[in-house]
Amino acid sequence: MNPEIITKIVRNLNYLIFQLNGPSVQEYNVSCKLEIGLNVRVFMRAIIQVYINFGEYPEFIEAIVNDKEYFSLKLFHSVEQKLKEHNLISENDSKAFEVLSDNIKQFSERLN
């Protein structure tokens, strides 16, 4: 895979996760619903599916961790918890995202 494309995809995914689960989540959710009629749950499912689909590529995981602006292990853990609490994705996808999250954590720890 082209490293530049991976970086752009990851940066956009991480930005979306940050907006939908980060510090200003309430403002963003209300804005999305009112302005564009976005169903945040459906949107989150789609984003998570992209993470899962690309999660098998080490360069994808590396790009996630290297995004210093929007990525944090704490945020990823929070997303993982919300997915489980609200049953936003299937059990198989939840397990796949958990594996991805563990791989991201391991990669991040190797860097530090």
Side-chain angles (χ1 to χ4, degrees), residues 1-108:
M1 292 176 76
N2 181 322
E4 187 176 323
I5 291 173
I6 292 171
T7 300
K8 288 181 180 187
I9 290 170
V10 165
R11 184 153 171 74
N12 283 305
L13 290 172
N14 286 348
Y15 170 79
L16 292 169
I17 289 289
F18 180 81
Q19 290 297 323
L20 294 171
N21 297 279
S24 59
V25 66
Q26 294 297 51
E27 296 168 24
Y28 191 76
N29 282 343
V30 170
S31 171
C32 284
K33 289 176 185 173
L34 294 176
E35 292 176 16
I36 57 176
L38 177 69
N39 183 329
V40 175
R41 289 175 179 251
V42 172
F43 195 51
M44 272 297 292
R45 276 189 217 118
I47 293 167
I48 297 305
Q49 195 61 54
V50 174
Y51 273 108
I52 292 169
N53 291 342
F54 282 106
E56 66 186 69
Y57 299 100
E59 57 268 28
F60 182 76
I61 293 171
E62 182 178 358
I64 291 171
V65 173
N66 287 333
D67 179 6
K68 302 300 181 204
E69 188 169 358
Y70 298 112
F71 170 75
S72 78
L73 285 174
K74 183 179 177 181
L75 180 62
F76 243 74
H77 181 69
S78 172
V79 169
E80 190 177 346
Q81 294 302 330
K82 286 179 184 179
L83 292 173
K84 289 177 184 176
E85 287 173 19
H86 301 290
N87 293 321
L88 292 178
I89 56 177
S90 71
E91 188 174 327
N92 286 341
D93 284 347
S94 182
K95 288 178 184 175
F97 190 76
E98 189 175 319
V99 168
L100 172 64
S101 189
D102 288 343
N103 290 339
I104 289 168
K105 181 179 178 186
Q106 289 173 7
F107 187 87
S108 179

